[in-house]
Amino acid sequence: MIKRLLLLAALVLGVNAAPLWAAQPPHLVFMIGEDEYHTWETLPEFAEKQLKVRGYRVTIVHADAADKNNFPGLVAALHEADLLFVSVRRRTPRKEQLDAVRAHLAAGKPVIGIRTASHGFAALPREKVTDPRLAVWPEFDPQVLGGHYTGHHRSDPKVKTETKVSAAPGAEGHAILKGFSADQLASTSVLYINAPLEKTATPLLIGAIPEKAPEPVAWTHTYGPKKARVFYTSLGGPDDFKNPAFRRLLVNSIGWALGK
């Protein structure tokens, strides 16, 4: 009865009634805490120009400037999140904050990881976390993302070495790769060493630099009994965000992770 009344009112007013009872658009939460790749600038801009215009609701959670391991507002945001986007490097969040990340995944909700997310919750080997209020998750990379980050290839800081990108064998038709060509993703970001991936991961993109073995630079994975969808890319430097193909990759990955 209520829907009929709303529809009648909408017809009288000459507006489309569908949004009156349609489900709210997906809520994306960005967790940002790194000091190297300027994602505290590039990701909010990406969200504003590429995601909000597509109807997504977006919440940006930055690490506290005075306490890099604290992400104020994260717990409350994740209660209502449909997807978590992680750009974090070697942070040890408050226990309740990392527990909220775990709960999000345990509920079967998707995660997107970019660049340093592969070592986002792993302290440096020489650092010991003794504060009981803080938590670590060094296994986040293999368990959730499906990778095995062990560092990156060295390069001359005065010379930008280009990583050539191609589709992994059999991945050409994947939904995440639609709308652009993999070779358009050539990147100046230093190539991460991620191989071998977990057997349960599905490689999508391969990166190659001269005289080094190729490395996977994007793949999908699932986590937990509820098979939470996960996408990760080791790309994500400032120059990558200037590339329309890279922005399309992220837009596609969010849609895929949400099952759209």
Side-chain angles (χ1 to χ4, degrees):
M1 179 61 71
I2 293 176
K3 288 185 177 181
R4 288 180 180 178
L5 290 173
L6 288 172
L7 177 59
L8 178 61
L11 290 173
V12 171
L13 293 172
V15 297
N16 185 351
L20 292 174
W21 57 76
Q24 284 203 356
H27 180 204
L28 316 181
V29 173
F30 284 72
M31 182 183 185
I32 304 173
E34 56 87 19
D35 300 322
E36 292 191 19
Y37 297 106
H38 291 259
T39 57
W40 62 89
E41 296 173 340
T42 55
L43 280 177
E45 181 181 10
F46 165 75
E48 189 69 32
K49 294 182 178 180
Q50 303 292 324
L51 300 179
K52 290 184 179 180
V53 297
R54 288 176 164 85
Y56 291 113
R57 294 180 295 138
V58 177
T59 298
I60 306 289
V61 177
H62 291 281
D64 189 333
D67 180 359
K68 68 178 185 178
N69 293 315
N70 184 25
F71 293 84
L74 180 68
V75 175
L78 284 180
H79 279 312
E80 300 179 352
D82 295 298
L83 179 146
L84 173 62
F85 195 116
V86 180
S87 178
V88 176
R89 181 182 184 275
R90 297 201 183 280
R91 302 299 168 94
T92 55
R94 304 289 175 87
K95 185 178 183 301
E96 64 272 18
Q97 293 168 358
L98 201 51
D99 283 346
V101 174
R102 291 179 182 272
H104 173 91
L105 281 158
K109 295 181 179 181
V111 164
I112 304 289
I114 188 175
R115 199 64 177 162
T116 57
S118 57
H119 43 296
F121 308 121
L124 287 167
R126 63 177 178 273
E127 293 181 351
K128 291 185 178 181
V129 180
T130 58
D131 189 334
R133 297 173 300 173
L134 305 181
V136 295
W137 194 357
E139 304 86 7
F140 181 79
D141 186 21
Q143 290 180 357
V144 177
L145 301 181
H148 287 92
Y149 171 80
T150 55
H152 57 76
H153 290 293
R154 301 294 173 183
S155 63
D156 185 342
K158 298 179 181 179
V159 179
K160 288 189 175 182
T161 301
E162 184 177 85
T163 297
K164 296 187 180 299
V165 180
S166 59
E172 294 83 355
H174 197 283
I176 291 178
L177 302 186
K178 288 184 177 180
F180 63 92
S181 175
D183 58 15
Q184 294 176 303
L185 288 164
S187 174
T188 58
S189 296
V190 176
L191 183 62
Y192 277 9
I193 302 170
N194 292 307
L197 300 182
E198 289 287 300
K199 294 180 179 179
T200 46
T202 301
L204 296 181
L205 295 171
I206 305 297
I209 59 175
E211 301 179 0
K212 299 294 182 181
E215 290 287 337
V217 295
W219 60 86
T220 62
H221 194 231
T222 59
Y223 174 80
K226 294 189 176 181
K227 302 294 182 182
R229 287 191 173 194
V230 178
F231 169 81
Y232 170 80
T233 178
S234 62
L235 306 178
D239 287 344
D240 292 328
F241 276 91
K242 298 175 184 177
N243 185 340
F246 178 72
R247 298 194 298 269
R248 180 61 182 266
L249 175 73
L250 294 186
V251 170
N252 287 359
S253 71
I254 289 170
W256 170 85
L258 290 168
K260 296 187 178 297

Coordinates of all heavy atoms in Angstrom, one line a residue, residues 128-208:
K128 N 59.2 -4.2 17.4 CA 58.4 -5.1 18.2 C 57.2 -4.3 18.8 O 57.4 -3.3 19.4 CB 59.2 -5.7 19.4 CG 60.3 -6.7 18.9 CD 61.0 -7.3 20.1 CE 62.0 -8.4 19.7 NZ 62.7 -9.0 20.8
V129 N 56.0 -4.9 18.5 CA 54.8 -4.2 19.0 C 54.5 -4.7 20.4 O 54.1 -5.8 20.6 CB 53.6 -4.5 18.0 CG1 52.4 -3.8 18.5 CG2 54.0 -4.0 16.6
T130 N 54.7 -3.8 21.4 CA 54.5 -4.2 22.8 C 53.3 -3.6 23.4 O 52.9 -4.0 24.5 CB 55.8 -3.9 23.6 OG1 56.0 -2.4 23.5 CG2 57.0 -4.6 23.1
D131 N 52.8 -2.6 22.7 CA 51.6 -1.9 23.2 C 50.4 -2.8 23.1 O 50.0 -3.1 21.9 CB 51.4 -0.6 22.5 CG 50.3 0.3 23.1 OD1 49.4 -0.2 23.8 OD2 50.4 1.5 22.9
P132 N 49.7 -3.2 24.1 CA 48.6 -4.1 24.0 C 47.4 -3.5 23.3 O 46.5 -4.3 22.9 CB 48.3 -4.5 25.5 CG 48.8 -3.3 26.3 CD 50.0 -2.9 25.6
R133 N 47.4 -2.2 23.2 CA 46.2 -1.6 22.5 C 46.3 -1.7 21.0 O 45.4 -1.5 20.2 CB 46.2 -0.1 22.8 CG 45.9 0.2 24.3 CD 46.1 1.7 24.6 NE 47.4 2.2 24.2 CZ 47.8 3.4 24.2 NH1 46.9 4.4 24.5 NH2 49.1 3.8 23.9
L134 N 47.5 -2.1 20.5 CA 47.8 -2.2 19.0 C 47.7 -3.6 18.5 O 47.9 -4.6 19.3 CB 49.1 -1.5 18.7 CG 49.3 -0.1 19.1 CD1 50.7 0.4 18.7 CD2 48.2 0.8 18.6
A135 N 47.5 -3.8 17.2 CA 47.4 -5.1 16.7 C 48.2 -5.2 15.3 O 48.3 -4.2 14.7 CB 46.0 -5.5 16.5
V136 N 48.6 -6.4 15.0 CA 49.3 -6.6 13.7 C 48.6 -7.7 13.0 O 47.9 -8.5 13.6 CB 50.8 -6.9 13.9 CG1 51.6 -5.7 14.5 CG2 51.0 -8.2 14.7
W137 N 48.8 -7.8 11.7 CA 48.2 -8.9 10.9 C 49.2 -9.1 9.7 O 48.9 -8.8 8.6 CB 46.8 -8.5 10.4 CG 46.1 -9.7 9.8 CD1 46.5 -11.0 9.6 CD2 44.7 -9.6 9.3 NE1 45.5 -11.7 9.1 CE2 44.4 -11.0 8.9 CE3 43.7 -8.6 9.2 CZ2 43.2 -11.3 8.3 CZ3 42.5 -9.0 8.6 CH2 42.2 -10.3 8.2
P138 N 50.4 -9.7 10.0 CA 51.4 -9.8 8.9 C 50.9 -10.8 7.9 O 51.4 -10.8 6.7 CB 52.6 -10.4 9.7 CG 52.0 -10.9 11.0 CD 50.9 -10.1 11.3
E139 N 49.9 -11.7 8.2 CA 49.5 -12.7 7.3 C 48.4 -12.1 6.4 O 47.8 -12.9 5.6 CB 48.9 -13.9 8.0 CG 49.9 -14.6 8.9 CD 49.9 -13.9 10.3 OE1 49.1 -13.1 10.6 OE2 50.8 -14.3 11.1
F140 N 48.0 -10.8 6.5 CA 47.0 -10.2 5.7 C 47.3 -10.4 4.2 O 46.4 -10.7 3.4 CB 46.9 -8.7 6.0 CG 45.9 -8.0 5.2 CD1 44.5 -8.0 5.6 CD2 46.2 -7.2 4.1 CE1 43.6 -7.3 4.9 CE2 45.2 -6.5 3.4 CZ 43.9 -6.6 3.8
D141 N 48.6 -10.4 3.8 CA 48.9 -10.5 2.4 C 48.6 -11.9 1.9 O 47.7 -12.0 0.9 CB 50.4 -10.2 2.2 CG 50.8 -10.2 0.7 OD1 50.0 -10.0 -0.1 OD2 52.0 -10.3 0.5
P142 N 49.1 -13.0 2.4 CA 48.8 -14.3 1.8 C 47.3 -14.7 2.2 O 46.6 -15.3 1.3 CB 49.8 -15.3 2.5 CG 50.2 -14.6 3.7 CD 50.2 -13.1 3.4
Q143 N 46.9 -14.4 3.4 CA 45.5 -14.9 3.7 C 44.4 -14.2 3.0 O 43.5 -14.8 2.5 CB 45.3 -14.8 5.3 CG 46.2 -15.7 6.1 CD 45.9 -15.5 7.6 OE1 45.2 -14.6 8.0 NE2 46.6 -16.3 8.4
V144 N 44.5 -12.9 2.9 CA 43.4 -12.1 2.4 C 43.7 -11.7 0.9 O 42.9 -12.0 0.0 CB 43.2 -10.8 3.2 CG1 42.1 -9.9 2.5 CG2 42.8 -11.1 4.6
L145 N 44.8 -11.1 0.7 CA 45.1 -10.7 -0.7 C 45.5 -11.8 -1.6 O 45.3 -11.7 -2.8 CB 46.2 -9.6 -0.7 CG 45.9 -8.3 0.1 CD1 47.1 -7.4 0.1 CD2 44.6 -7.7 -0.3
G146 N 46.2 -12.8 -1.1 CA 46.6 -13.9 -1.9 C 48.0 -13.8 -2.5 O 48.3 -14.5 -3.4
G147 N 48.8 -12.9 -1.9 CA 50.1 -12.7 -2.5 C 51.2 -13.0 -1.5 O 50.9 -13.4 -0.3
H148 N 52.5 -12.8 -1.9 CA 53.6 -13.0 -1.0 C 54.7 -11.9 -1.3 O 55.7 -12.2 -1.9 CB 54.2 -14.4 -1.3 CG 53.4 -15.6 -0.7 ND1 52.5 -16.2 -1.5 CD2 53.3 -16.1 0.5 CE1 51.9 -17.1 -0.8 NE2 52.4 -17.1 0.4
Y149 N 54.4 -10.8 -0.8 CA 55.3 -9.6 -1.0 C 56.6 -9.9 -0.2 O 56.6 -10.2 1.0 CB 54.6 -8.4 -0.5 CG 55.5 -7.2 -0.4 CD1 55.8 -6.4 -1.6 CD2 56.1 -6.8 0.8 CE1 56.7 -5.3 -1.5 CE2 57.0 -5.7 0.8 CZ 57.2 -5.0 -0.3 OH 58.1 -3.9 -0.3
T150 N 57.7 -9.7 -1.0 CA 59.0 -9.9 -0.3 C 59.9 -8.7 -0.6 O 61.1 -8.8 -0.4 CB 59.7 -11.2 -0.8 OG1 59.8 -11.2 -2.2 CG2 58.9 -12.4 -0.3
G151 N 59.4 -7.6 -1.1 CA 60.2 -6.5 -1.4 C 59.9 -6.0 -2.8 O 58.9 -6.3 -3.5
H152 N 60.9 -5.2 -3.4 CA 60.7 -4.7 -4.7 C 62.1 -4.6 -5.4 O 63.1 -4.6 -4.8 CB 60.0 -3.3 -4.7 CG 60.8 -2.3 -3.9 ND1 61.9 -1.7 -4.3 CD2 60.5 -1.8 -2.7 CE1 62.3 -0.8 -3.4 NE2 61.5 -0.8 -2.4
H153 N 62.1 -4.6 -6.7 CA 63.3 -4.5 -7.5 C 63.9 -3.1 -7.3 O 63.2 -2.1 -7.3 CB 63.0 -4.8 -9.0 CG 62.7 -6.2 -9.2 ND1 63.6 -7.2 -9.1 CD2 61.5 -6.8 -9.7 CE1 63.0 -8.4 -9.4 NE2 61.8 -8.1 -9.7
R154 N 65.2 -3.0 -7.2 CA 65.9 -1.8 -7.1 C 66.0 -1.1 -8.4 O 66.0 -1.7 -9.5 CB 67.3 -2.0 -6.5 CG 67.3 -2.6 -5.1 CD 66.6 -1.8 -4.1 NE 66.5 -2.5 -2.8 CZ 65.9 -1.9 -1.7 NH1 65.4 -0.7 -1.8 NH2 65.8 -2.6 -0.6
S155 N 66.0 0.2 -8.4 CA 66.1 1.0 -9.6 C 66.9 2.3 -9.3 O 66.9 2.8 -8.2 CB 64.8 1.3 -10.2 OG 64.0 2.1 -9.4
D156 N 67.4 2.9 -10.4 CA 68.1 4.2 -10.3 C 67.1 5.2 -10.0 O 66.2 5.4 -10.9 CB 68.9 4.4 -11.5 CG 69.7 5.7 -11.5 OD1 69.5 6.5 -10.6 OD2 70.6 5.9 -12.3
P157 N 67.1 5.9 -8.9 CA 66.1 7.0 -8.6 C 66.1 8.1 -9.6 O 65.1 8.8 -9.7 CB 66.5 7.5 -7.2 CG 67.9 7.1 -7.0 CD 68.1 5.8 -7.8
K158 N 67.2 8.2 -10.4 CA 67.3 9.3 -11.4 C 66.6 8.9 -12.7 O 66.4 9.7 -13.6 CB 68.7 9.7 -11.6 CG 69.4 10.3 -10.3 CD 70.9 10.6 -10.6 CE 71.6 11.2 -9.4 NZ 73.0 11.5 -9.6
V159 N 66.4 7.6 -12.8 CA 65.9 7.1 -14.1 C 64.6 6.3 -13.8 O 64.6 5.3 -13.0 CB 66.9 6.2 -14.8 CG1 66.3 5.6 -16.1 CG2 68.2 6.9 -15.1
K160 N 63.5 6.7 -14.4 CA 62.3 6.0 -14.2 C 62.2 4.7 -15.1 O 62.1 4.9 -16.3 CB 61.1 6.9 -14.4 CG 60.8 7.9 -13.4 CD 59.5 8.7 -13.5 CE 59.3 9.6 -12.4 NZ 58.0 10.3 -12.5
T161 N 62.3 3.6 -14.5 CA 62.2 2.3 -15.3 C 60.7 2.0 -15.5 O 59.9 1.9 -14.5 CB 62.9 1.2 -14.5 OG1 64.2 1.5 -14.3 CG2 62.8 -0.1 -15.3
E162 N 60.3 1.8 -16.7 CA 58.9 1.5 -17.0 C 58.6 0.0 -16.9 O 59.4 -0.8 -17.4 CB 58.6 2.0 -18.5 CG 57.1 1.8 -18.8 CD 56.8 2.3 -20.2 OE1 57.0 1.5 -21.2 OE2 56.4 3.5 -20.3
T163 N 57.6 -0.3 -16.2 CA 57.1 -1.6 -16.1 C 56.1 -1.9 -17.2 O 55.1 -1.2 -17.3 CB 56.4 -1.9 -14.7 OG1 57.4 -1.7 -13.7 CG2 55.8 -3.3 -14.6
K164 N 56.4 -2.8 -18.1 CA 55.4 -3.2 -19.1 C 54.4 -4.1 -18.6 O 54.8 -5.1 -17.9 CB 56.2 -3.8 -20.3 CG 57.1 -2.8 -21.0 CD 57.7 -3.4 -22.3 CE 58.7 -2.4 -22.9 NZ 58.0 -1.1 -23.3
V165 N 53.2 -3.9 -18.9 CA 52.1 -4.6 -18.3 C 51.3 -5.4 -19.4 O 51.1 -4.8 -20.5 CB 51.1 -3.7 -17.5 CG1 49.9 -4.6 -16.9 CG2 51.8 -3.0 -16.4
S166 N 51.0 -6.6 -19.1 CA 50.2 -7.4 -20.1 C 49.2 -8.2 -19.3 O 49.3 -8.5 -18.1 CB 51.1 -8.3 -20.9 OG 51.8 -9.2 -20.1
A167 N 48.2 -8.7 -20.0 CA 47.2 -9.6 -19.4 C 47.8 -10.9 -19.1 O 48.5 -11.5 -19.9 CB 45.9 -9.7 -20.3
A168 N 47.4 -11.5 -17.9 CA 47.9 -12.9 -17.6 C 47.2 -13.8 -18.6 O 46.1 -13.6 -19.0 CB 47.5 -13.2 -16.2
P169 N 47.8 -14.9 -18.9 CA 47.2 -15.9 -19.8 C 45.8 -16.3 -19.3 O 45.6 -16.7 -18.1 CB 48.2 -17.1 -19.7 CG 49.5 -16.5 -19.4 CD 49.2 -15.4 -18.5
G170 N 44.8 -16.2 -20.2 CA 43.5 -16.6 -19.9 C 42.6 -15.5 -19.2 O 41.4 -15.7 -18.9
A171 N 43.3 -14.4 -18.9 CA 42.5 -13.3 -18.1 C 41.9 -12.3 -19.0 O 41.2 -11.4 -18.5 CB 43.5 -12.7 -17.1
E172 N 42.2 -12.4 -20.3 CA 41.8 -11.3 -21.2 C 40.3 -10.9 -21.1 O 40.0 -9.7 -21.3 CB 42.2 -11.6 -22.7 CG 43.7 -11.8 -22.9 CD 44.2 -13.1 -22.5 OE1 43.5 -13.9 -22.0 OE2 45.4 -13.4 -22.8
G173 N 39.5 -11.9 -20.9 CA 38.0 -11.6 -20.9 C 37.4 -11.3 -19.5 O 36.2 -11.2 -19.4
H174 N 38.3 -11.2 -18.5 CA 37.8 -10.9 -17.2 C 37.1 -9.5 -17.1 O 37.6 -8.6 -17.7 CB 38.9 -11.0 -16.2 CG 38.5 -11.1 -14.7 ND1 38.0 -10.1 -14.0 CD2 38.4 -12.2 -13.9 CE1 37.6 -10.5 -12.8 NE2 37.9 -11.8 -12.7
A175 N 36.0 -9.5 -16.3 CA 35.3 -8.2 -16.2 C 36.1 -7.0 -15.8 O 35.9 -5.9 -16.2 CB 34.1 -8.4 -15.3
I176 N 37.1 -7.3 -14.9 CA 37.9 -6.2 -14.4 C 38.8 -5.6 -15.5 O 39.2 -4.4 -15.4 CB 38.8 -6.7 -13.2 CG1 37.9 -7.0 -12.0 CG2 39.9 -5.7 -12.8 CD1 38.7 -7.6 -10.8
L177 N 39.1 -6.3 -16.5 CA 39.9 -5.8 -17.6 C 39.2 -5.3 -18.8 O 39.8 -4.9 -19.8 CB 40.9 -7.0 -18.1 CG 41.8 -7.6 -17.0 CD1 42.7 -8.6 -17.7 CD2 42.5 -6.5 -16.2
K178 N 37.9 -5.1 -18.7 CA 37.1 -4.6 -19.8 C 37.2 -3.1 -19.9 O 37.3 -2.4 -18.9 CB 35.6 -5.0 -19.6 CG 35.4 -6.5 -19.9 CD 33.9 -6.8 -19.8 CE 33.7 -8.3 -20.1 NZ 32.3 -8.7 -20.0
G179 N 37.2 -2.6 -21.1 CA 37.2 -1.2 -21.4 C 38.5 -0.5 -21.6 O 38.6 0.7 -21.8
F180 N 39.6 -1.3 -21.6 CA 40.9 -0.8 -21.8 C 41.9 -1.9 -22.2 O 41.5 -3.1 -22.0 CB 41.5 -0.1 -20.6 CG 41.7 -0.9 -19.4 CD1 42.9 -1.6 -19.1 CD2 40.7 -1.1 -18.5 CE1 43.1 -2.4 -18.1 CE2 40.8 -2.0 -17.4 CZ 42.0 -2.6 -17.2
S181 N 43.0 -1.6 -22.7 CA 44.0 -2.6 -23.1 C 45.1 -2.7 -22.0 O 45.5 -1.6 -21.5 CB 44.7 -2.3 -24.4 OG 45.7 -3.2 -24.7
A182 N 45.5 -3.9 -21.6 CA 46.5 -4.0 -20.5 C 47.8 -3.3 -20.8 O 48.4 -2.7 -19.9 CB 46.8 -5.5 -20.3
D183 N 48.2 -3.2 -22.1 CA 49.4 -2.5 -22.3 C 49.3 -1.0 -22.1 O 50.4 -0.3 -22.1 CB 49.9 -2.8 -23.7 CG 49.0 -2.4 -24.8 OD1 48.0 -1.6 -24.5 OD2 49.1 -2.9 -26.0
Q184 N 48.1 -0.5 -21.9 CA 48.0 1.0 -21.6 C 48.3 1.2 -20.1 O 48.4 2.4 -19.7 CB 46.5 1.4 -21.8 CG 46.1 1.4 -23.3 CD 44.6 1.7 -23.4 OE1 43.7 1.1 -22.8 NE2 44.3 2.7 -24.2
L185 N 48.6 0.2 -19.3 CA 48.9 0.3 -17.9 C 50.4 0.4 -17.7 O 50.8 0.3 -16.5 CB 48.3 -0.8 -17.1 CG 46.8 -0.8 -17.0 CD1 46.2 -2.2 -16.6 CD2 46.3 0.3 -16.0
A186 N 51.2 0.5 -18.7 CA 52.7 0.7 -18.5 C 52.9 1.7 -17.3 O 52.3 2.8 -17.3 CB 53.3 1.2 -19.7
S187 N 53.7 1.3 -16.4 CA 53.8 2.0 -15.1 C 55.3 2.4 -14.8 O 56.2 1.6 -15.1 CB 53.2 1.2 -14.0 OG 53.4 1.8 -12.7
T188 N 55.5 3.5 -14.1 CA 56.8 3.8 -13.6 C 56.9 3.5 -12.1 O 58.0 3.8 -11.5 CB 57.1 5.4 -13.8 OG1 56.0 6.1 -13.1 CG2 57.1 5.7 -15.3
S189 N 55.9 2.9 -11.5 CA 56.0 2.4 -10.1 C 57.0 1.3 -10.1 O 57.0 0.4 -10.9 CB 54.7 2.0 -9.6 OG 53.7 3.1 -9.6
V190 N 57.9 1.3 -9.1 CA 58.9 0.2 -8.9 C 58.1 -1.1 -8.8 O 57.1 -1.3 -8.1 CB 59.7 0.5 -7.7 CG1 60.7 -0.7 -7.5 CG2 60.5 1.7 -7.8
L191 N 58.6 -2.1 -9.5 CA 57.9 -3.4 -9.6 C 58.1 -4.2 -8.3 O 59.2 -4.5 -7.8 CB 58.5 -4.2 -10.8 CG 57.9 -5.6 -11.0 CD1 56.4 -5.4 -11.4 CD2 58.6 -6.3 -12.1
Y192 N 57.0 -4.5 -7.7 CA 57.0 -5.3 -6.5 C 57.2 -6.8 -6.8 O 56.8 -7.3 -7.9 CB 55.6 -5.2 -5.8 CG 55.5 -4.0 -4.9 CD1 56.4 -3.0 -4.8 CD2 54.4 -3.9 -4.0 CE1 56.2 -1.9 -4.0 CE2 54.2 -2.8 -3.2 CZ 55.1 -1.8 -3.2 OH 55.0 -0.7 -2.4
I193 N 57.8 -7.5 -5.8 CA 58.1 -8.9 -6.0 C 57.0 -9.6 -5.2 O 57.0 -9.6 -3.9 CB 59.5 -9.3 -5.4 CG1 60.5 -8.6 -6.2 CG2 59.7 -10.8 -5.5 CD1 61.9 -8.7 -5.6
N194 N 56.0 -10.3 -5.8 CA 54.9 -10.9 -5.2 C 54.7 -12.4 -5.4 O 53.9 -13.0 -4.7 CB 53.6 -10.2 -5.7 CG 53.4 -8.8 -5.3 OD1 53.5 -8.5 -4.1 ND2 53.3 -7.8 -6.2
A195 N 55.5 -12.9 -6.4 CA 55.3 -14.3 -6.7 C 56.1 -15.2 -5.6 O 57.0 -14.7 -5.1 CB 55.9 -14.6 -8.1
P196 N 55.6 -16.4 -5.4 CA 54.4 -17.0 -6.1 C 53.1 -16.6 -5.4 O 53.1 -16.4 -4.1 CB 54.6 -18.5 -5.9 CG 55.4 -18.6 -4.6 CD 56.2 -17.4 -4.5
L197 N 52.0 -16.4 -6.1 CA 50.7 -16.1 -5.5 C 50.2 -17.4 -4.8 O 50.6 -18.5 -5.1 CB 49.7 -15.7 -6.6 CG 50.1 -14.4 -7.3 CD1 48.9 -14.1 -8.3 CD2 50.4 -13.2 -6.4
E198 N 49.2 -17.2 -4.0 CA 48.5 -18.4 -3.4 C 47.8 -19.1 -4.6 O 47.4 -18.5 -5.6 CB 47.4 -17.9 -2.4 CG 48.0 -17.3 -1.1 CD 48.5 -18.5 -0.2 OE1 47.8 -19.4 0.2 OE2 49.8 -18.4 0.1
K199 N 47.7 -20.4 -4.4 CA 47.1 -21.2 -5.5 C 45.6 -20.8 -5.7 O 45.0 -21.1 -6.8 CB 47.2 -22.7 -5.1 CG 48.6 -23.2 -5.1 CD 48.6 -24.7 -4.7 CE 50.0 -25.3 -4.7 NZ 50.1 -26.7 -4.3
T200 N 45.0 -20.2 -4.7 CA 43.6 -19.8 -4.8 C 43.5 -18.4 -5.4 O 42.3 -17.9 -5.6 CB 43.0 -19.8 -3.4 OG1 43.8 -19.1 -2.5 CG2 42.7 -21.2 -2.9
A201 N 44.6 -17.7 -5.8 CA 44.5 -16.4 -6.4 C 44.4 -16.6 -8.0 O 44.9 -17.6 -8.5 CB 45.7 -15.6 -6.1
T202 N 43.8 -15.6 -8.6 CA 43.7 -15.6 -10.1 C 44.4 -14.4 -10.6 O 44.0 -13.3 -10.5 CB 42.2 -15.6 -10.5 OG1 41.5 -16.7 -9.9 CG2 42.1 -15.6 -12.0
P203 N 45.6 -14.7 -11.3 CA 46.3 -13.5 -11.9 C 45.5 -12.9 -13.0 O 44.9 -13.5 -13.8 CB 47.6 -14.2 -12.4 CG 47.6 -15.5 -11.8 CD 46.2 -15.9 -11.5
L204 N 45.6 -11.5 -13.0 CA 45.0 -10.8 -14.1 C 46.0 -10.0 -14.9 O 45.8 -10.0 -16.2 CB 44.0 -9.8 -13.5 CG 42.8 -10.3 -12.7 CD1 41.9 -9.2 -12.3 CD2 42.0 -11.3 -13.6
L205 N 47.0 -9.4 -14.3 CA 48.0 -8.6 -15.0 C 49.4 -9.0 -14.6 O 49.7 -9.3 -13.4 CB 47.8 -7.1 -14.7 CG 46.5 -6.5 -15.2 CD1 46.3 -5.1 -14.6 CD2 46.4 -6.5 -16.7
I206 N 50.3 -9.0 -15.5 CA 51.7 -9.3 -15.3 C 52.6 -8.1 -15.7 O 52.4 -7.5 -16.7 CB 52.1 -10.6 -16.2 CG1 51.2 -11.8 -15.9 CG2 53.6 -10.9 -15.9 CD1 51.2 -12.3 -14.5
G207 N 53.5 -7.8 -14.8 CA 54.5 -6.7 -15.0 C 55.8 -7.2 -15.3 O 56.3 -8.3 -14.8
A208 N 56.5 -6.6 -16.2 CA 57.9 -7.0 -16.6 C 58.8 -5.8 -16.7 O 58.4 -4.8 -17.3 CB 57.8 -7.8 -17.9

